Amino acid sequence: MTSRGTFRQRFFAWLLTLGDAPYERAMAARKRGLLGDLAGTVVEIGPGTGVNLSYYRSDVRWIGIEPNPYLHRQLREAAARQGLAIDLRASAAHATGLPDGSADAVVSTLVLCSVSDVETTLREVLRVLRPGGRLAFIEHVAAPQGTRRRWVQNSLRPVWSVLADGCHPNRETWRAIEGAGFAEVHMEHFEAPTPTVIRPHVAGVARKGGPPSLPTVR
C-alpha cells in the first residue's frame, strides 16, 4: 500500500465516522425492506462503519468485504453492539476470494460508485451468488445527460474522486446493473436528501438466474 493510499484511506475512514444521520433516517425504511429478510450467507461489499448491520436478522452469516483497514475497528464495534457475529475480510469487491455460489445475497450501498471497475465487480457478485441469489443495492448515480446537475457531476468528478476515495458522482450504475447478466432487475430511481451532486439514487434487487436454493446454514 502506498503512503498516498494510506492517507486517502485514513481520511475517508475519518469522514465516514462523522456519519450522516439525516441520510440514514431517510433511508431506514428502504434498508429495512431490502435487508431485513435476507437469510443464510450475506456478503456485504464496502460496509464502511457498519451502518447496515442493524437491519440484518441475527441468524445471518455476515461476511464483510472492506478493503479499508481503518474501518475495521468501527465495523467490529458496530457488530458487537448488535450482537452479530461477523467475518471481516480486507479483500476488494472485484476479487473477494470467496468460492463460487457461496452467497445467498450480496449487499451494496453507496459502493459501486467507488469501485475501480463496476462491470468486473458485478461479474464477481454474480460468481459468488448461488442460483436464485440476489444483489440488494442502494447507490447514488449520474443525473440525466444534458442537465445542469450532470454538468456539475462531470466537472467535480476529478476532485471528488480524490476526496471521496475513488467515488464517481457521474457513474451510470443502473445501466451496469441492468447489463450485468442478472435474470431479473427491479429498480427504483429517486432523489435522496444529500448534496445535489449525489442526490440521484437507485435502489432495488437483482436476481441471479436459476432456481432459488435453500439459505446456507451457519
Side-chain angles (χ1 to χ4, degrees):
M1 182 184 295
T2 66
S3 59
R4 180 183 178 190
T6 299
F7 172 78
R8 191 162 78 170
Q9 287 184 318
R10 280 182 182 272
F11 178 71
F12 189 63
W14 173 77
L15 284 179
L16 287 185
T17 61
L18 299 179
D20 189 346
Y23 178 85
E24 290 302 324
R25 285 195 297 269
M27 294 295 108
R30 291 181 187 275
K31 288 188 175 184
R32 278 194 296 270
L34 285 171
L35 311 181
D37 68 342
L38 298 181
T41 298
V42 177
V43 175
E44 184 171 350
I45 58 175
T49 60
V51 293
N52 293 335
L53 293 179
S54 64
Y55 297 101
Y56 297 116
R57 292 169 30 164
S58 61
D59 60 347
V60 300
R61 180 193 177 210
W62 187 89
I63 301 174
I65 305 298
E66 178 50 71
N68 189 333
Y70 303 110
L71 291 167
H72 287 195
R73 178 177 59 81
Q74 293 96 316
L75 271 166
R76 292 192 176 96
E77 290 174 352
R81 288 193 296 272
Q82 297 300 323
L84 187 67
I86 65 172
D87 178 353
L88 185 56
R89 307 185 184 200
S91 46
H94 68 273
T96 64
L98 297 172
D100 293 356
S102 58
D104 298 292
V106 174
V107 172
S108 172
T109 63
L110 305 185
V111 173
L112 295 178
C113 58
S114 300
V115 297
S116 57
D117 187 324
V118 67
E119 287 79 15
T120 300
T121 298
L122 289 169
R123 283 197 294 272
E124 178 73 352
V125 168
L126 278 166
R127 184 187 68 78
V128 303
L129 279 173
R130 298 180 182 279
R134 52 182 156 160
L135 166 68
F137 59 90
I138 301 175
E139 299 287 346
H140 72 78
V141 297
Q145 288 280 8
T147 62
R148 176 173 176 78
R149 188 181 291 172
R150 182 62 172 266
W151 179 85
V152 171
Q153 290 176 329
N154 292 340
S155 300
L156 288 179
R157 205 260 336 140
V159 173
W160 190 278
S161 293
V162 171
L163 295 177
D165 200 24
C167 174
H168 293 66
N170 59 347
R171 182 168 278 176
E172 295 182 339
T173 303
W174 75 92
R175 297 190 189 279
I177 294 172
E178 290 172 339
F182 291 96
E184 299 176 60
V185 178
H186 302 279
M187 186 185 310
E188 177 189 3
H189 289 252
F190 66 99
E191 298 269 303
T194 59
T196 185
V197 69
I198 55 171
R199 193 167 295 165
H201 273 52
V202 293
V205 174
R207 188 182 66 82
K208 182 176 179 177
S213 56
L214 293 175
T216 306
V217 177
R218 292 180 66 182

